[in-house]
Amino acid sequence: MMNVINELNALHLDTLSDEWVQAIYYSEFLEFGDIPPEYESILESLDIKAVFQSIMKSFDDWLNTTNSDDKSWATLSNHVMHEKLLAIIAYHIDYGSRNILTKEYRNNALLASRLYYKLLFVPGYKAYHIYHSQLFAHSLGCLGFPKAMCDNEDSYYNTKELTREVNSVIRELRHFVLDLQAIIKNLQLNPNDMNFEDILSNLVDITGGAIVNKLNVDKIELGNISRVIYELIDVLICEANGDPNKNAIQLVFKCILPKLVAASMDCRNANNLIRASYVTYSGLLLSRYGKSALPGYTILLQHLCYTLDGLERAEVRAARVSLIIGLMSLLPQKSYSNFVKWIIKLSTTSKVSHRQIAMEMLSKLLSNDPEEAKSKEPVMETDNSDNSLQPTTEQQPQNEALDEMHKNPVDIADNQLAAMSTDDENSQKLPSAEKEVDEHEMTEEEVAELLSARAHTVPLASLLRAVYERVADVSGTLRTRALVMLADCLASDRPAMHQAIEELNGTGAVSRLMAVSARCVSDERAAVRRAAVALLQRLLARRSPPSAADLGILVGLCRDASILVRSAAITALGELVVQSPSDPMIDAFLSGPMHQLSDPENKVQEQVVNLIQQILIDRLQKYEITDIEDPLPWMFLAGITRHNMRRHLQKACTCLTKSSNCINHRLVDMLSTHLGTASDERDLHCLVLLTSIARLVDYSDISFVLDYYYKLADDTKWRDARLLPLALELASVWARWTAAAARHALRDHLVQRLAAGDADGCRIACAALAAQLDPDNLQWATELMQLSEKQALEGGPGGEMEEWMRAADLSLVAPVPPSSSLLKLFLDALSDPPPAWGPEQRGACVAGAGRLCVRSRTAATAVAPRLAALLPDAAAPLPARINALLALTDICTRYTCIVEPLLETVCGCVAAEAPAALRRAAARSLTRLLLAGFLRLRTPLYYRYCALLADDDHDVREPAEYYVTSCLTAETIYYHFVDCVLHYNKEGNESITFDARQLIYDVMLQRLSLVQKLNVQCRLAREVLQHAADSLDEADDLPPALEAALLDAITLLCGPRMKLPKKPQNTGDADIDDLQERVTTNIVSHKMKRTVAEVVVPSVLQLYARMRPRGGQLIMSLVRIATDLLNDYRHEIEELIENDEELVERVQQFQGTIGLEPSFGNMRNLVTSSAPPEPDTPRAPRRRPRPVTYTPRPPKKRALRI
């Protein structure tokens, strides 16, 4: 003992200030002031390293001697000032921990900690307060020196220097942990002790393997240290009798939790190793301690789900889910089932991040086997003897988290967790420190077998139900994810999944999934609508055949405002056509994607073109009698012919020529083998495709076309009337490649047919081809035209209509214009048709007059007013009126200025009282002219055309919907929106019902952006509400038109499409889409609040006060908007509204009786009731700058440059 005292005297503790020591004790070893100067000079004169080593050696010699001296602090305390000794030890530990990069201070901290452990080895350490929990926990911080040094890699000169320093610390830590191991059992620590959690945390920190692959460190020595640390933790979490302590094990898992969370936030390789190490250790704790570890293990899993750090990032969520699923696989079946139920409950909590991670976990769990498919095996039973778990014998495929670990095994975990087996959990023991490392090193395969997941079962029906409920979530991201998961489940080929889906769908006429997909395709968010398209596609693929109404949903989405949704709908219809070709499917494709060849986005056009190539071009084969051909391309061409969409096919072929080389002479060779071999229907389909590609391919060998034409011309049997015009068109395109002899023979044949009058139905095509074959000799055309003119004029107004039409047809190619007498003959017949003429003759007369207008502007000027006068004439036959409309359309393509003054008459063709056939033709003709650019959609044409959006006839409404939703710019809609509200309510205009007006507004609002919608709100408030309030100051009552416009404006402001924005919810929790919307709307918040306070509220109060005695729907609308204002802008306008006590009473009554139900406006394609909160502040239109008076300045004098 005297040797110990002598060595301690070398520290000169008697000179150390008592105040400094007491300050350290008073702070519970948490704060250390500067060491007193007089004692600092003493320390500088000492070799503190040698002193600490000498003291430790003296303690070892004293404790190991066999004399009868009292070896305890009862004796030693009389000769040693132990408080000052502990203070100086704590000071060196703290100073070294704060100056890790300095080798001297770092080594002094390690030696001071080891000296402290020697002091604790002396009996009586607790009675004399040698053990202090904070000091002990502080000393264990030395275990983190290697990791802290690696984190400060930039502070070292090079990597070799850092590696050398780290290895030296690891060698020192070897002695450190052995000294710690010698005292840990005698300390008898338990979870109720102070700083027990900090002690465990410091021990757990070094076991993560954070520096294994960073540097060329001594992995063997590091593994030995970790083995001892694992044994120390094992001692701490067990009672004195060896039984595991549940609370201590929970604290171990609590220490592991932040390590796993931090490692999952960064997916670098080093963090993968850390995560794998902690996953391995957590699993072994569960296997080793069974029932005692199960509660803590379950709490660890729950906290991993519940910790929000980084969960807003998709990659972090994926890593966290992979980690949790891997840890879950180690649970017994009963605990696994309980945790699955907890996850389902988590998916309904209030925080978006919790619901997101729950949904991701549900998507992983859906791949497990169902409960019904497994045999009933006994679940976990407790064993009172050793509290171990009864394992299941089945082995589930390895989960993602464990796969990562097996790809990058950690040597530390390999060495420490050796000799572990999943065959018998009762026999699992941690290895002792005396066993050699080489005897228990494990290969990667053994580690994989060690942590192979149990085969767990899940209630698939409950999981699917939980996913289904998230389709109505507030977060658009979660709605999207739920729809994607449901679509993936539909694509599964597992019978159990199919059974669960059938259970979810129910037995109703419309399945739940079909109903939810139909509802979600009208969602406000484009991502949700796109996911709903994928779900709808999977549902339709399961039906055979799908109904026209279901396919109509996808067809409508091909014109969605979002390019993402349009692309998804087009892809879905294309895949459905390829998977299950049928006439309804082909019709749906032609009604939807085919029209998007005119889409404003080039990507969408390319997508449609690629689908047409896959459906039609790539599947065509050479005709062989013995081969079984693919019916899909011929079904597609049949649909093209059935719907008269040859122009769309021509545009698709033109686009294919630019994007690929599939339109070439080989395709023509292939089609030539089909022509004239099977039937008229096959010939018609071949000619439709050949005429579509003829102008794109230079094909010289057209003998097959001529042979087919002569065969048709000489055939006495009845043939399809469409074949001969198409054959002539094809021949006219490739006529330049015809040989001279064949050219003259064909021309003579055509002229003879025209002279003999055998070219009925294709006279214009025959004449044009004959003129093209010999353009220098057109005397025949002049003679035939003049002959027909003579016969027509001799017959007079009641003559043969055939001669009139022949003369008009031949005038298209004759070099000499037709006589004015022929034009006068047509004009007189249009004004005063002969009584003997029927509808057929009058329709032919109109068509002939239209052909005379093609070549002559004078004729067009004279005929156009007569044709326009025929359109509104109810007494005229329908064929004549339709032909007059088509003739005016042809005139507009050549002389737009002639037709523009007559547009009001043309627009009258779409009036409600017009015949249905005329209205449909007018809607198609106007849309074609707008698409081609011959007309511009200006007022009043804009109002009349947009009114078609609410037409009851689908064939009238569909062209207008296509143009407005796909081609009309959003800026045009925004500019005219308020004008439309005022125009559709004017007196004298065509009456449009309230619901029809709301339908028109709704289609328009779908195209507007968020900022444009908010600006429209401000314009409606200023130009309608404020104007109505000002009008009541001048008159006692509102005009009917203004009252109707006011009702429309209030309905729009209260409706779901343009509901007044709410105040932001400061919940601090939202998905990224909500945050982006808030950022966008905050930019324009000031002007909207100003509009509400200055315009909306005073106008509502004034209107309510003046119109209150009248009652009616308008008063209810005013109360409704007042309710919305009171809910959304309570703090801004509370004083203004509360001044009107009766209005407040009506608002309260409205809330109590009617409630805040959805708006009574149009409900087509509206957002779901669970849509995200509306943005809080819309943008008002920018205030126009004041006109600046411009004073012309004198011109500057030009400088003379020399």
Side-chain angles (χ1 to χ4, degrees), residues 590-610:
L590 296 179
S591 301
M594 200 68 174
H595 285 289
Q596 297 311 115
L597 289 169
S598 302
D599 194 275
E601 294 290 342
N602 292 331
K603 291 183 179 180
V604 178
Q605 297 180 19
E606 294 173 0
Q607 183 183 10
V608 177
V609 168
N610 292 334

Side-chain angles (χ1 to χ4, degrees), residues 1157-1178:
E1157 295 296 330
S1159 172
F1160 42 77
N1162 167 54
M1163 297 302 294
R1164 189 183 69 162
N1165 197 21
L1166 296 183
V1167 299
T1168 59
S1169 58
S1170 62
E1174 295 288 341
D1176 59 322
T1177 47

